[in-house]
mmCIF file of all heavy atoms in Angstrom:
data_model
loop_
_atom_site.group_PDB
_atom_site.id
_atom_site.type_symbol
_atom_site.label_atom_id
_atom_site.label_comp_id
_atom_site.label_asym_id
_atom_site.label_seq_id
_atom_site.Cartn_x
_atom_site.Cartn_y
_atom_site.Cartn_z
ATOM 1 N N THR L 225 -18.596 -22.935 86.969
ATOM 2 C CA THR L 225 -19.685 -21.968 87.017
ATOM 3 C C THR L 225 -20.782 -22.354 86.031
ATOM 4 O O THR L 225 -21.974 -22.272 86.352
ATOM 5 C CB THR L 225 -19.157 -20.549 86.731
ATOM 6 O OG1 THR L 225 -18.255 -20.181 87.781
ATOM 7 C CG2 THR L 225 -20.278 -19.528 86.649
ATOM 8 N N ARG L 226 -20.395 -22.792 84.860
ATOM 9 C CA ARG L 226 -21.372 -23.173 83.833
ATOM 10 C C ARG L 226 -22.181 -24.395 84.252
ATOM 11 O O ARG L 226 -23.399 -24.432 84.117
ATOM 12 C CB ARG L 226 -20.628 -23.440 82.517
ATOM 13 C CG ARG L 226 -21.311 -24.367 81.517
ATOM 14 C CD ARG L 226 -22.548 -23.770 80.870
ATOM 15 N NE ARG L 226 -23.119 -24.646 79.876
ATOM 16 C CZ ARG L 226 -24.095 -25.525 80.099
ATOM 17 N NH1 ARG L 226 -24.589 -25.700 81.294
ATOM 18 N NH2 ARG L 226 -24.593 -26.258 79.116
ATOM 19 N N TRP L 227 -21.505 -25.405 84.805
ATOM 20 C CA TRP L 227 -22.154 -26.689 85.044
ATOM 21 C C TRP L 227 -22.625 -26.913 86.475
ATOM 22 O O TRP L 227 -23.572 -27.673 86.694
ATOM 23 C CB TRP L 227 -21.224 -27.832 84.651
ATOM 24 C CG TRP L 227 -21.067 -27.962 83.189
ATOM 25 C CD1 TRP L 227 -20.016 -27.522 82.433
ATOM 26 C CD2 TRP L 227 -21.982 -28.549 82.272
ATOM 27 N NE1 TRP L 227 -20.229 -27.803 81.112
ATOM 28 C CE2 TRP L 227 -21.432 -28.440 80.981
ATOM 29 C CE3 TRP L 227 -23.224 -29.164 82.414
ATOM 30 C CZ2 TRP L 227 -22.073 -28.926 79.847
ATOM 31 C CZ3 TRP L 227 -23.859 -29.651 81.282
ATOM 32 C CH2 TRP L 227 -23.290 -29.521 80.024
ATOM 33 N N CYS L 228 -21.967 -26.299 87.442
ATOM 34 C CA CYS L 228 -22.234 -26.671 88.833
ATOM 35 C C CYS L 228 -22.821 -25.537 89.670
ATOM 36 O O CYS L 228 -23.933 -25.649 90.166
ATOM 37 C CB CYS L 228 -20.954 -27.173 89.496
ATOM 38 S SG CYS L 228 -20.175 -28.550 88.609
ATOM 39 N N TYR L 229 -22.055 -24.487 89.849
ATOM 40 C CA TYR L 229 -22.434 -23.389 90.733
ATOM 41 C C TYR L 229 -21.552 -22.201 90.411
ATOM 42 O O TYR L 229 -20.526 -22.338 89.749
ATOM 43 C CB TYR L 229 -22.267 -23.770 92.210
ATOM 44 C CG TYR L 229 -20.937 -24.415 92.492
ATOM 45 C CD1 TYR L 229 -19.788 -23.652 92.670
ATOM 46 C CD2 TYR L 229 -20.826 -25.795 92.538
ATOM 47 C CE1 TYR L 229 -18.558 -24.242 92.890
ATOM 48 C CE2 TYR L 229 -19.596 -26.398 92.767
ATOM 49 C CZ TYR L 229 -18.471 -25.619 92.940
ATOM 50 O OH TYR L 229 -17.254 -26.201 93.144
ATOM 51 N N ASP L 230 -21.930 -21.038 90.900
ATOM 52 C CA ASP L 230 -21.121 -19.842 90.702
ATOM 53 C C ASP L 230 -19.821 -20.020 91.481
ATOM 54 O O ASP L 230 -19.807 -19.926 92.705
ATOM 55 C CB ASP L 230 -21.866 -18.589 91.161
ATOM 56 C CG ASP L 230 -23.107 -18.319 90.319
ATOM 57 O OD1 ASP L 230 -23.142 -18.750 89.149
ATOM 58 O OD2 ASP L 230 -24.043 -17.682 90.836
ATOM 59 N N CYS L 231 -18.765 -20.308 90.770
ATOM 60 C CA CYS L 231 -17.473 -20.619 91.382
ATOM 61 C C CYS L 231 -16.638 -19.345 91.490
ATOM 62 O O CYS L 231 -16.013 -18.911 90.524
ATOM 63 C CB CYS L 231 -16.736 -21.687 90.568
ATOM 64 S SG CYS L 231 -15.220 -22.246 91.346
ATOM 65 N N THR L 232 -16.644 -18.763 92.678
ATOM 66 C CA THR L 232 -15.838 -17.575 92.924
ATOM 67 C C THR L 232 -14.364 -17.978 92.998
ATOM 68 O O THR L 232 -14.030 -19.163 93.096
ATOM 69 C CB THR L 232 -16.244 -16.920 94.251
ATOM 70 O OG1 THR L 232 -15.934 -17.843 95.314
ATOM 71 C CG2 THR L 232 -17.724 -16.563 94.277
ATOM 72 N N TYR L 233 -13.502 -16.997 92.995
ATOM 73 C CA TYR L 233 -12.072 -17.299 93.154
ATOM 74 C C TYR L 233 -11.806 -17.925 94.516
ATOM 75 O O TYR L 233 -10.985 -18.830 94.633
ATOM 76 C CB TYR L 233 -11.221 -16.043 92.930
ATOM 77 C CG TYR L 233 -11.237 -15.616 91.485
ATOM 78 C CD1 TYR L 233 -12.006 -14.543 91.063
ATOM 79 C CD2 TYR L 233 -10.509 -16.320 90.527
ATOM 80 C CE1 TYR L 233 -12.045 -14.169 89.733
ATOM 81 C CE2 TYR L 233 -10.548 -15.954 89.190
ATOM 82 C CZ TYR L 233 -11.312 -14.882 88.803
ATOM 83 O OH TYR L 233 -11.357 -14.529 87.476
ATOM 84 N N GLU L 234 -12.509 -17.472 95.529
ATOM 85 C CA GLU L 234 -12.336 -18.042 96.870
ATOM 86 C C GLU L 234 -12.721 -19.527 96.883
ATOM 87 O O GLU L 234 -12.000 -20.363 97.425
ATOM 88 C CB GLU L 234 -13.177 -17.261 97.880
ATOM 89 C CG GLU L 234 -13.048 -17.779 99.288
ATOM 90 C CD GLU L 234 -13.906 -16.996 100.285
ATOM 91 O OE1 GLU L 234 -14.625 -16.054 99.886
ATOM 92 O OE2 GLU L 234 -13.843 -17.347 101.467
ATOM 93 N N ILE L 235 -13.857 -19.848 96.284
ATOM 94 C CA ILE L 235 -14.277 -21.254 96.204
ATOM 95 C C ILE L 235 -13.270 -22.050 95.386
ATOM 96 O O ILE L 235 -12.891 -23.167 95.754
ATOM 97 C CB ILE L 235 -15.694 -21.362 95.603
ATOM 98 C CG1 ILE L 235 -16.733 -20.838 96.585
ATOM 99 C CG2 ILE L 235 -16.010 -22.807 95.204
ATOM 100 C CD1 ILE L 235 -18.139 -20.724 96.007
ATOM 101 N N HIS L 236 -12.812 -21.480 94.289
ATOM 102 C CA HIS L 236 -11.864 -22.176 93.419
ATOM 103 C C HIS L 236 -10.565 -22.471 94.164
ATOM 104 O O HIS L 236 -9.993 -23.567 94.030
ATOM 105 C CB HIS L 236 -11.620 -21.349 92.152
ATOM 106 C CG HIS L 236 -11.216 -22.149 90.975
ATOM 107 N ND1 HIS L 236 -10.373 -21.652 90.013
ATOM 108 C CD2 HIS L 236 -11.526 -23.410 90.577
ATOM 109 C CE1 HIS L 236 -10.198 -22.567 89.080
ATOM 110 N NE2 HIS L 236 -10.875 -23.636 89.400
ATOM 111 N N LEU L 237 -10.097 -21.515 94.953
ATOM 112 C CA LEU L 237 -8.897 -21.747 95.766
ATOM 113 C C LEU L 237 -9.115 -22.914 96.732
ATOM 114 O O LEU L 237 -8.231 -23.764 96.901
ATOM 115 C CB LEU L 237 -8.526 -20.484 96.548
ATOM 116 C CG LEU L 237 -7.862 -19.375 95.759
ATOM 117 C CD1 LEU L 237 -7.837 -18.082 96.576
ATOM 118 C CD2 LEU L 237 -6.456 -19.773 95.333
ATOM 119 N N GLY L 238 -10.266 -22.957 97.345
ATOM 120 C CA GLY L 238 -10.589 -24.063 98.251
ATOM 121 C C GLY L 238 -10.609 -25.401 97.539
ATOM 122 O O GLY L 238 -10.125 -26.414 98.063
ATOM 123 N N LEU L 239 -11.153 -25.414 96.332
ATOM 124 C CA LEU L 239 -11.153 -26.652 95.544
ATOM 125 C C LEU L 239 -9.733 -27.081 95.204
ATOM 126 O O LEU L 239 -9.404 -28.266 95.284
ATOM 127 C CB LEU L 239 -11.959 -26.473 94.256
ATOM 128 C CG LEU L 239 -13.461 -26.482 94.399
ATOM 129 C CD1 LEU L 239 -14.111 -26.150 93.062
ATOM 130 C CD2 LEU L 239 -13.949 -27.824 94.904
ATOM 131 N N GLY L 240 -8.917 -26.124 94.812
ATOM 132 C CA GLY L 240 -7.528 -26.447 94.502
ATOM 133 C C GLY L 240 -6.843 -27.119 95.678
ATOM 134 O O GLY L 240 -6.117 -28.101 95.511
ATOM 135 N N GLU L 241 -7.076 -26.600 96.870
ATOM 136 C CA GLU L 241 -6.495 -27.213 98.069
ATOM 137 C C GLU L 241 -7.065 -28.607 98.309
ATOM 138 O O GLU L 241 -6.343 -29.529 98.690
ATOM 139 C CB GLU L 241 -6.704 -26.322 99.294
ATOM 140 C CG GLU L 241 -5.877 -25.058 99.281
ATOM 141 C CD GLU L 241 -4.379 -25.313 99.146
ATOM 142 O OE1 GLU L 241 -3.852 -26.264 99.764
ATOM 143 O OE2 GLU L 241 -3.723 -24.554 98.400
ATOM 144 N N LEU L 242 -8.361 -28.771 98.076
ATOM 145 C CA LEU L 242 -8.994 -30.076 98.230
ATOM 146 C C LEU L 242 -8.396 -31.093 97.258
ATOM 147 O O LEU L 242 -8.215 -32.263 97.598
ATOM 148 C CB LEU L 242 -10.506 -29.951 98.015
ATOM 149 C CG LEU L 242 -11.346 -31.200 98.239
ATOM 150 C CD1 LEU L 242 -11.283 -31.633 99.700
ATOM 151 C CD2 LEU L 242 -12.792 -30.919 97.833
ATOM 152 N N TYR L 243 -8.075 -30.643 96.069
ATOM 153 C CA TYR L 243 -7.501 -31.534 95.058
ATOM 154 C C TYR L 243 -6.188 -32.158 95.513
ATOM 155 O O TYR L 243 -5.854 -33.261 95.084
ATOM 156 C CB TYR L 243 -7.273 -30.790 93.740
ATOM 157 C CG TYR L 243 -8.537 -30.326 93.040
ATOM 158 C CD1 TYR L 243 -8.462 -29.373 92.038
ATOM 159 C CD2 TYR L 243 -9.794 -30.806 93.376
ATOM 160 C CE1 TYR L 243 -9.599 -28.927 91.373
ATOM 161 C CE2 TYR L 243 -10.934 -30.357 92.730
ATOM 162 C CZ TYR L 243 -10.832 -29.424 91.730
ATOM 163 O OH TYR L 243 -11.954 -28.985 91.081
ATOM 164 N N VAL L 244 -5.437 -31.465 96.370
ATOM 165 C CA VAL L 244 -4.160 -32.016 96.833
ATOM 166 C C VAL L 244 -4.229 -32.554 98.267
ATOM 167 O O VAL L 244 -3.361 -33.328 98.657
ATOM 168 C CB VAL L 244 -3.003 -30.998 96.704
ATOM 169 C CG1 VAL L 244 -2.771 -30.634 95.244
ATOM 170 C CG2 VAL L 244 -3.235 -29.765 97.529
ATOM 171 N N SER L 245 -5.230 -32.160 99.043
ATOM 172 C CA SER L 245 -5.306 -32.615 100.433
ATOM 173 C C SER L 245 -6.141 -33.884 100.604
ATOM 174 O O SER L 245 -5.962 -34.604 101.584
ATOM 175 C CB SER L 245 -5.851 -31.512 101.335
ATOM 176 O OG SER L 245 -7.208 -31.244 101.032
ATOM 177 N N ASP L 246 -7.037 -34.151 99.685
ATOM 178 C CA ASP L 246 -7.883 -35.341 99.772
ATOM 179 C C ASP L 246 -7.364 -36.369 98.767
ATOM 180 O O ASP L 246 -7.445 -36.138 97.553
ATOM 181 C CB ASP L 246 -9.336 -34.979 99.472
ATOM 182 C CG ASP L 246 -10.300 -36.137 99.687
ATOM 183 O OD1 ASP L 246 -9.960 -37.289 99.345
ATOM 184 O OD2 ASP L 246 -11.415 -35.882 100.179
ATOM 185 N N PRO L 247 -6.840 -37.479 99.248
ATOM 186 C CA PRO L 247 -6.250 -38.471 98.336
ATOM 187 C C PRO L 247 -7.211 -38.983 97.263
ATOM 188 O O PRO L 247 -6.776 -39.372 96.183
ATOM 189 C CB PRO L 247 -5.817 -39.607 99.261
ATOM 190 C CG PRO L 247 -5.873 -39.080 100.641
ATOM 191 C CD PRO L 247 -6.753 -37.870 100.640
ATOM 192 N N ARG L 248 -8.498 -38.954 97.538
ATOM 193 C CA ARG L 248 -9.469 -39.410 96.528
ATOM 194 C C ARG L 248 -9.497 -38.451 95.342
ATOM 195 O O ARG L 248 -9.522 -38.885 94.191
ATOM 196 C CB ARG L 248 -10.864 -39.538 97.142
ATOM 197 C CG ARG L 248 -10.933 -40.573 98.261
ATOM 198 C CD ARG L 248 -12.214 -40.490 99.028
ATOM 199 N NE ARG L 248 -12.315 -39.177 99.676
ATOM 200 C CZ ARG L 248 -13.341 -38.786 100.417
ATOM 201 N NH1 ARG L 248 -14.371 -39.595 100.602
ATOM 202 N NH2 ARG L 248 -13.358 -37.595 100.973
ATOM 203 N N PHE L 249 -9.489 -37.146 95.623
ATOM 204 C CA PHE L 249 -9.455 -36.160 94.548
ATOM 205 C C PHE L 249 -8.122 -36.231 93.818
ATOM 206 O O PHE L 249 -8.075 -36.203 92.593
ATOM 207 C CB PHE L 249 -9.676 -34.738 95.094
ATOM 208 C CG PHE L 249 -11.109 -34.414 95.354
ATOM 209 C CD1 PHE L 249 -11.666 -34.628 96.603
ATOM 210 C CD2 PHE L 249 -11.915 -33.886 94.364
ATOM 211 C CE1 PHE L 249 -12.989 -34.322 96.849
ATOM 212 C CE2 PHE L 249 -13.237 -33.574 94.592
ATOM 213 C CZ PHE L 249 -13.779 -33.802 95.856
ATOM 214 N N THR L 250 -7.038 -36.311 94.586
ATOM 215 C CA THR L 250 -5.711 -36.369 93.976
ATOM 216 C C THR L 250 -5.627 -37.559 93.024
ATOM 217 O O THR L 250 -5.177 -37.407 91.879
ATOM 218 C CB THR L 250 -4.611 -36.466 95.053
ATOM 219 O OG1 THR L 250 -4.733 -35.359 95.943
ATOM 220 C CG2 THR L 250 -3.228 -36.457 94.423
ATOM 221 N N ALA L 251 -6.053 -38.728 93.474
ATOM 222 C CA ALA L 251 -5.980 -39.930 92.639
ATOM 223 C C ALA L 251 -6.831 -39.787 91.382
ATOM 224 O O ALA L 251 -6.408 -40.185 90.292
ATOM 225 C CB ALA L 251 -6.419 -41.154 93.443
ATOM 226 N N SER L 252 -7.996 -39.208 91.522
ATOM 227 C CA SER L 252 -8.882 -39.038 90.371
ATOM 228 C C SER L 252 -8.269 -38.098 89.339
ATOM 229 O O SER L 252 -8.257 -38.386 88.140
ATOM 230 C CB SER L 252 -10.232 -38.501 90.844
ATOM 231 O OG SER L 252 -11.080 -38.250 89.752
ATOM 232 N N ILE L 253 -7.729 -36.984 89.792
ATOM 233 C CA ILE L 253 -7.132 -36.005 88.876
ATOM 234 C C ILE L 253 -5.826 -36.537 88.309
ATOM 235 O O ILE L 253 -5.551 -36.413 87.109
ATOM 236 C CB ILE L 253 -6.936 -34.653 89.593
ATOM 237 C CG1 ILE L 253 -8.306 -34.057 89.945
ATOM 238 C CG2 ILE L 253 -6.131 -33.690 88.733
ATOM 239 C CD1 ILE L 253 -8.254 -32.910 90.933
ATOM 240 N N ASP L 254 -5.023 -37.162 89.160
ATOM 241 C CA ASP L 254 -3.737 -37.704 88.713
ATOM 242 C C ASP L 254 -3.890 -38.923 87.812
ATOM 243 O O ASP L 254 -2.913 -39.357 87.199
ATOM 244 C CB ASP L 254 -2.851 -38.036 89.909
ATOM 245 C CG ASP L 254 -2.196 -36.817 90.529
ATOM 246 O OD1 ASP L 254 -2.441 -35.687 90.042
ATOM 247 O OD2 ASP L 254 -1.435 -36.997 91.499
ATOM 248 N N ALA L 255 -5.099 -39.466 87.687
ATOM 249 C CA ALA L 255 -5.323 -40.563 86.741
ATOM 250 C C ALA L 255 -5.075 -40.084 85.313
ATOM 251 O O ALA L 255 -4.669 -40.865 84.449
ATOM 252 C CB ALA L 255 -6.737 -41.122 86.889
ATOM 253 N N THR L 256 -5.293 -38.808 85.054
ATOM 254 C CA THR L 256 -5.003 -38.241 83.743
ATOM 255 C C THR L 256 -3.501 -38.141 83.538
ATOM 256 O O THR L 256 -2.994 -38.491 82.469
ATOM 257 C CB THR L 256 -5.644 -36.844 83.600
ATOM 258 O OG1 THR L 256 -7.063 -36.982 83.727
ATOM 259 C CG2 THR L 256 -5.319 -36.200 82.269
#
Side-chain angles (χ1 to χ4, degrees):
T225 296
R226 156 70 177 94
W227 288 101
C228 304
Y229 48 81
D230 295 334
C231 186
T232 64
Y233 290 103
E234 180 181 1
I235 290 172
H236 206 212
L237 284 167
L239 284 174
E241 289 304 320
L242 184 64
Y243 294 164
V244 297
S245 67
D246 186 321
R248 298 168 298 179
F249 280 92
T250 303
S252 176
I253 294 166
D254 282 1
T256 299

